[in-house]
Amino acid sequence: MNEEKNLYTVSIYTEDNVGLLNRISAIFQRRHINIESLSSSVSEIEGVSRFTLLVFITEEQMRKILGQIEKQVEVIKAYYHTDEQTIYQESCLFKVKSDLLFEERQIQNIIKDSNARIVTVNREFFVIEKSGRRHEVDLLYRELKPFGIMQFVRSGRIAVTKEKMNITDLLAQFAQA
């Protein structure tokens, strides 16, 4: 059976331990699966971290990998969701030469039309920040590229689920233990 690949957002709740990210990424590496994006942050419970990964794989592969991830001692719980089950964003910063901001009216229109914002301006450069869906960030990149992007950086996906997750109750129990 040839199962279709999908984009999955993986949320991994963990104790805050050194080396865990290495072991989690090795699980994907052994299967030759690329991690499209990765972000790490604190979670809603003190002392518990959350990794959010974006991967393009089959659901069968996803289930097997989740089992491997949850075998890691420091992992409290791991979940995967489709785009339809989550509310998600990415953020990015563009650094562009300052003279373009004043000489190219088109750049001002691009910034306005994309709902981006200017974070800072000085004599040499200005910085634009954009948060949104991946395709929105990609579109802004394509529109700014002809003007010469000096630097570009993009965050990993951050996401919350549309449905209630029982992880909050589980984490509260973990925090009390």
Side-chain angles (χ1 to χ4, degrees), residues 111-132:
I111 294 167
K112 190 175 124 227
D113 293 345
S114 68
N115 290 318
R117 67 185 188 94
I118 297 174
V119 177
T120 190
V121 178
N122 68 30
R123 288 173 195 233
E124 286 83 43
F125 62 86
F126 65 102
V127 176
I128 303 167
E129 181 271 335
K130 168 72 179 156
S131 292

PDB file of all heavy atoms in Angstrom, residues 111-132:
ATOM      1  N   ILE A 111       5.290  46.188   1.424  1.00  0.00           N
ATOM      2  CA  ILE A 111       5.249  46.070   2.887  1.00  0.00           C
ATOM      3  C   ILE A 111       3.812  46.231   3.383  1.00  0.00           C
ATOM      4  O   ILE A 111       3.316  45.432   4.178  1.00  0.00           O
ATOM      5  CB  ILE A 111       6.196  47.099   3.565  1.00  0.00           C
ATOM      6  CG1 ILE A 111       7.647  46.770   3.222  1.00  0.00           C
ATOM      7  CG2 ILE A 111       5.981  47.124   5.067  1.00  0.00           C
ATOM      8  CD1 ILE A 111       8.644  47.875   3.567  1.00  0.00           C
ATOM      9  N   LYS A 112       3.149  47.267   2.898  1.00  0.00           N
ATOM     10  CA  LYS A 112       1.767  47.544   3.315  1.00  0.00           C
ATOM     11  C   LYS A 112       0.827  46.408   2.904  1.00  0.00           C
ATOM     12  O   LYS A 112       0.039  45.912   3.711  1.00  0.00           O
ATOM     13  CB  LYS A 112       1.319  48.877   2.708  1.00  0.00           C
ATOM     14  CG  LYS A 112       0.002  49.375   3.255  1.00  0.00           C
ATOM     15  CD  LYS A 112      -0.323  50.755   2.710  1.00  0.00           C
ATOM     16  CE  LYS A 112      -1.647  50.673   2.051  1.00  0.00           C
ATOM     17  NZ  LYS A 112      -1.876  51.207   0.794  1.00  0.00           N
ATOM     18  N   ASP A 113       0.918  45.975   1.649  1.00  0.00           N
ATOM     19  CA  ASP A 113       0.013  44.937   1.130  1.00  0.00           C
ATOM     20  C   ASP A 113       0.217  43.584   1.810  1.00  0.00           C
ATOM     21  O   ASP A 113      -0.713  42.781   1.874  1.00  0.00           O
ATOM     22  CB  ASP A 113       0.191  44.778  -0.385  1.00  0.00           C
ATOM     23  CG  ASP A 113      -0.272  46.014  -1.146  1.00  0.00           C
ATOM     24  OD1 ASP A 113      -0.973  46.864  -0.549  1.00  0.00           O
ATOM     25  OD2 ASP A 113       0.077  46.136  -2.346  1.00  0.00           O
ATOM     26  N   SER A 114       1.427  43.321   2.309  1.00  0.00           N
ATOM     27  CA  SER A 114       1.706  42.012   2.921  1.00  0.00           C
ATOM     28  C   SER A 114       1.442  42.012   4.422  1.00  0.00           C
ATOM     29  O   SER A 114       1.654  41.002   5.086  1.00  0.00           O
ATOM     30  CB  SER A 114       3.160  41.617   2.669  1.00  0.00           C
ATOM     31  OG  SER A 114       4.013  42.481   3.394  1.00  0.00           O
ATOM     32  N   ASN A 115       0.985  43.144   4.953  1.00  0.00           N
ATOM     33  CA  ASN A 115       0.776  43.286   6.402  1.00  0.00           C
ATOM     34  C   ASN A 115       2.059  43.038   7.194  1.00  0.00           C
ATOM     35  O   ASN A 115       2.021  42.532   8.315  1.00  0.00           O
ATOM     36  CB  ASN A 115      -0.349  42.377   6.901  1.00  0.00           C
ATOM     37  CG  ASN A 115      -1.696  42.835   6.416  1.00  0.00           C
ATOM     38  OD1 ASN A 115      -1.991  44.024   6.417  1.00  0.00           O
ATOM     39  ND2 ASN A 115      -2.502  41.890   5.965  1.00  0.00           N
ATOM     40  N   ALA A 116       3.189  43.375   6.595  1.00  0.00           N
ATOM     41  CA  ALA A 116       4.470  43.306   7.302  1.00  0.00           C
ATOM     42  C   ALA A 116       4.662  44.640   8.018  1.00  0.00           C
ATOM     43  O   ALA A 116       3.884  45.573   7.818  1.00  0.00           O
ATOM     44  CB  ALA A 116       5.603  43.058   6.308  1.00  0.00           C
ATOM     45  N   ARG A 117       5.681  44.700   8.844  1.00  0.00           N
ATOM     46  CA  ARG A 117       5.952  45.968   9.515  1.00  0.00           C
ATOM     47  C   ARG A 117       7.444  46.240   9.542  1.00  0.00           C
ATOM     48  O   ARG A 117       8.250  45.320   9.558  1.00  0.00           O
ATOM     49  CB  ARG A 117       5.359  46.003  10.913  1.00  0.00           C
ATOM     50  CG  ARG A 117       5.988  45.060  11.891  1.00  0.00           C
ATOM     51  CD  ARG A 117       5.243  45.068  13.236  1.00  0.00           C
ATOM     52  NE  ARG A 117       5.984  44.286  14.202  1.00  0.00           N
ATOM     53  CZ  ARG A 117       6.875  44.776  15.058  1.00  0.00           C
ATOM     54  NH1 ARG A 117       7.110  46.065  15.087  1.00  0.00           N
ATOM     55  NH2 ARG A 117       7.525  43.991  15.886  1.00  0.00           N
ATOM     56  N   ILE A 118       7.771  47.511   9.550  1.00  0.00           N
ATOM     57  CA  ILE A 118       9.175  47.912   9.619  1.00  0.00           C
ATOM     58  C   ILE A 118       9.574  47.957  11.087  1.00  0.00           C
ATOM     59  O   ILE A 118       8.935  48.633  11.894  1.00  0.00           O
ATOM     60  CB  ILE A 118       9.391  49.274   8.935  1.00  0.00           C
ATOM     61  CG1 ILE A 118       9.049  49.162   7.448  1.00  0.00           C
ATOM     62  CG2 ILE A 118      10.821  49.761   9.143  1.00  0.00           C
ATOM     63  CD1 ILE A 118       9.077  50.472   6.696  1.00  0.00           C
ATOM     64  N   VAL A 119      10.617  47.199  11.422  1.00  0.00           N
ATOM     65  CA  VAL A 119      11.074  47.086  12.803  1.00  0.00           C
ATOM     66  C   VAL A 119      12.082  48.177  13.137  1.00  0.00           C
ATOM     67  O   VAL A 119      12.044  48.756  14.215  1.00  0.00           O
ATOM     68  CB  VAL A 119      11.707  45.690  13.053  1.00  0.00           C
ATOM     69  CG1 VAL A 119      12.259  45.573  14.452  1.00  0.00           C
ATOM     70  CG2 VAL A 119      10.704  44.590  12.771  1.00  0.00           C
ATOM     71  N   THR A 120      12.982  48.448  12.219  1.00  0.00           N
ATOM     72  CA  THR A 120      14.014  49.463  12.446  1.00  0.00           C
ATOM     73  C   THR A 120      14.494  50.026  11.119  1.00  0.00           C
ATOM     74  O   THR A 120      14.437  49.344  10.097  1.00  0.00           O
ATOM     75  CB  THR A 120      15.208  48.875  13.248  1.00  0.00           C
ATOM     76  OG1 THR A 120      16.074  49.929  13.655  1.00  0.00           O
ATOM     77  CG2 THR A 120      16.005  47.876  12.444  1.00  0.00           C
ATOM     78  N   VAL A 121      14.937  51.277  11.173  1.00  0.00           N
ATOM     79  CA  VAL A 121      15.491  51.944   9.989  1.00  0.00           C
ATOM     80  C   VAL A 121      16.728  52.708  10.436  1.00  0.00           C
ATOM     81  O   VAL A 121      16.711  53.398  11.450  1.00  0.00           O
ATOM     82  CB  VAL A 121      14.491  52.941   9.365  1.00  0.00           C
ATOM     83  CG1 VAL A 121      15.112  53.649   8.166  1.00  0.00           C
ATOM     84  CG2 VAL A 121      13.201  52.262   8.968  1.00  0.00           C
ATOM     85  N   ASN A 122      17.822  52.558   9.684  1.00  0.00           N
ATOM     86  CA  ASN A 122      18.988  53.421   9.898  1.00  0.00           C
ATOM     87  C   ASN A 122      19.551  53.790   8.530  1.00  0.00           C
ATOM     88  O   ASN A 122      18.937  53.495   7.512  1.00  0.00           O
ATOM     89  CB  ASN A 122      20.022  52.771  10.836  1.00  0.00           C
ATOM     90  CG  ASN A 122      20.694  51.559  10.235  1.00  0.00           C
ATOM     91  OD1 ASN A 122      20.873  51.444   9.020  1.00  0.00           O
ATOM     92  ND2 ASN A 122      21.077  50.625  11.098  1.00  0.00           N
ATOM     93  N   ARG A 123      20.712  54.424   8.485  1.00  0.00           N
ATOM     94  CA  ARG A 123      21.248  54.909   7.203  1.00  0.00           C
ATOM     95  C   ARG A 123      21.566  53.791   6.218  1.00  0.00           C
ATOM     96  O   ARG A 123      21.431  53.964   5.018  1.00  0.00           O
ATOM     97  CB  ARG A 123      22.517  55.721   7.439  1.00  0.00           C
ATOM     98  CG  ARG A 123      22.252  57.042   8.056  1.00  0.00           C
ATOM     99  CD  ARG A 123      23.547  57.717   8.408  1.00  0.00           C
ATOM    100  NE  ARG A 123      23.261  58.812   9.324  1.00  0.00           N
ATOM    101  CZ  ARG A 123      23.652  60.038   9.145  1.00  0.00           C
ATOM    102  NH1 ARG A 123      24.387  60.358   8.111  1.00  0.00           N
ATOM    103  NH2 ARG A 123      23.331  60.966  10.004  1.00  0.00           N
ATOM    104  N   GLU A 124      22.016  52.641   6.721  1.00  0.00           N
ATOM    105  CA  GLU A 124      22.456  51.550   5.833  1.00  0.00           C
ATOM    106  C   GLU A 124      21.338  50.582   5.444  1.00  0.00           C
ATOM    107  O   GLU A 124      21.329  50.048   4.352  1.00  0.00           O
ATOM    108  CB  GLU A 124      23.593  50.749   6.482  1.00  0.00           C
ATOM    109  CG  GLU A 124      24.935  51.444   6.498  1.00  0.00           C
ATOM    110  CD  GLU A 124      25.053  52.403   7.673  1.00  0.00           C
ATOM    111  OE1 GLU A 124      24.638  52.025   8.784  1.00  0.00           O
ATOM    112  OE2 GLU A 124      25.538  53.531   7.463  1.00  0.00           O
ATOM    113  N   PHE A 125      20.442  50.291   6.384  1.00  0.00           N
ATOM    114  CA  PHE A 125      19.438  49.255   6.114  1.00  0.00           C
ATOM    115  C   PHE A 125      18.160  49.501   6.908  1.00  0.00           C
ATOM    116  O   PHE A 125      18.123  50.303   7.833  1.00  0.00           O
ATOM    117  CB  PHE A 125      19.993  47.867   6.456  1.00  0.00           C
ATOM    118  CG  PHE A 125      20.350  47.699   7.909  1.00  0.00           C
ATOM    119  CD1 PHE A 125      19.396  47.305   8.836  1.00  0.00           C
ATOM    120  CD2 PHE A 125      21.649  47.937   8.354  1.00  0.00           C
ATOM    121  CE1 PHE A 125      19.707  47.161  10.178  1.00  0.00           C
ATOM    122  CE2 PHE A 125      21.979  47.789   9.693  1.00  0.00           C
ATOM    123  CZ  PHE A 125      20.997  47.400  10.608  1.00  0.00           C
ATOM    124  N   PHE A 126      17.120  48.766   6.511  1.00  0.00           N
ATOM    125  CA  PHE A 126      15.906  48.712   7.316  1.00  0.00           C
ATOM    126  C   PHE A 126      15.532  47.242   7.446  1.00  0.00           C
ATOM    127  O   PHE A 126      15.945  46.393   6.654  1.00  0.00           O
ATOM    128  CB  PHE A 126      14.771  49.566   6.734  1.00  0.00           C
ATOM    129  CG  PHE A 126      14.242  49.119   5.403  1.00  0.00           C
ATOM    130  CD1 PHE A 126      13.050  48.413   5.312  1.00  0.00           C
ATOM    131  CD2 PHE A 126      14.926  49.443   4.230  1.00  0.00           C
ATOM    132  CE1 PHE A 126      12.551  48.027   4.072  1.00  0.00           C
ATOM    133  CE2 PHE A 126      14.426  49.062   2.992  1.00  0.00           C
ATOM    134  CZ  PHE A 126      13.244  48.338   2.910  1.00  0.00           C
ATOM    135  N   VAL A 127      14.771  46.933   8.504  1.00  0.00           N
ATOM    136  CA  VAL A 127      14.388  45.547   8.782  1.00  0.00           C
ATOM    137  C   VAL A 127      12.870  45.452   8.781  1.00  0.00           C
ATOM    138  O   VAL A 127      12.183  46.258   9.421  1.00  0.00           O
ATOM    139  CB  VAL A 127      14.957  45.061  10.135  1.00  0.00           C
ATOM    140  CG1 VAL A 127      14.474  43.646  10.454  1.00  0.00           C
ATOM    141  CG2 VAL A 127      16.486  45.123  10.115  1.00  0.00           C
ATOM    142  N   ILE A 128      12.376  44.460   8.042  1.00  0.00           N
ATOM    143  CA  ILE A 128      10.939  44.190   7.939  1.00  0.00           C
ATOM    144  C   ILE A 128      10.655  42.897   8.681  1.00  0.00           C
ATOM    145  O   ILE A 128      11.393  41.912   8.537  1.00  0.00           O
ATOM    146  CB  ILE A 128      10.513  44.011   6.467  1.00  0.00           C
ATOM    147  CG1 ILE A 128      10.879  45.233   5.639  1.00  0.00           C
ATOM    148  CG2 ILE A 128       9.034  43.684   6.364  1.00  0.00           C
ATOM    149  CD1 ILE A 128      10.783  44.998   4.142  1.00  0.00           C
ATOM    150  N   GLU A 129       9.567  42.891   9.461  1.00  0.00           N
ATOM    151  CA  GLU A 129       9.127  41.682  10.159  1.00  0.00           C
ATOM    152  C   GLU A 129       7.789  41.255   9.576  1.00  0.00           C
ATOM    153  O   GLU A 129       6.921  42.087   9.304  1.00  0.00           O
ATOM    154  CB  GLU A 129       8.978  41.954  11.653  1.00  0.00           C
ATOM    155  CG  GLU A 129       8.542  40.751  12.475  1.00  0.00           C
ATOM    156  CD  GLU A 129       7.026  40.596  12.604  1.00  0.00           C
ATOM    157  OE1 GLU A 129       6.303  41.597  12.495  1.00  0.00           O
ATOM    158  OE2 GLU A 129       6.562  39.460  12.793  1.00  0.00           O
ATOM    159  N   LYS A 130       7.642  39.958   9.357  1.00  0.00           N
ATOM    160  CA  LYS A 130       6.380  39.409   8.849  1.00  0.00           C
ATOM    161  C   LYS A 130       6.062  38.140   9.618  1.00  0.00           C
ATOM    162  O   LYS A 130       6.920  37.274   9.778  1.00  0.00           O
ATOM    163  CB  LYS A 130       6.521  39.100   7.346  1.00  0.00           C
ATOM    164  CG  LYS A 130       5.401  38.279   6.745  1.00  0.00           C
ATOM    165  CD  LYS A 130       4.123  39.063   6.613  1.00  0.00           C
ATOM    166  CE  LYS A 130       3.020  38.206   5.987  1.00  0.00           C
ATOM    167  NZ  LYS A 130       1.707  38.696   6.348  1.00  0.00           N
ATOM    168  N   SER A 131       4.845  38.042  10.115  1.00  0.00           N
ATOM    169  CA  SER A 131       4.353  36.802  10.712  1.00  0.00           C
ATOM    170  C   SER A 131       3.168  36.347   9.889  1.00  0.00           C
ATOM    171  O   SER A 131       2.378  37.170   9.428  1.00  0.00           O
ATOM    172  CB  SER A 131       3.909  37.023  12.162  1.00  0.00           C
ATOM    173  OG  SER A 131       5.020  37.300  12.960  1.00  0.00           O
ATOM    174  N   GLY A 132       3.062  35.054   9.694  1.00  0.00           N
ATOM    175  CA  GLY A 132       1.938  34.529   8.930  1.00  0.00           C
ATOM    176  C   GLY A 132       2.168  33.089   8.521  1.00  0.00           C
ATOM    177  O   GLY A 132       3.036  32.399   9.056  1.00  0.00           O
TER     178      GLY A 132
END
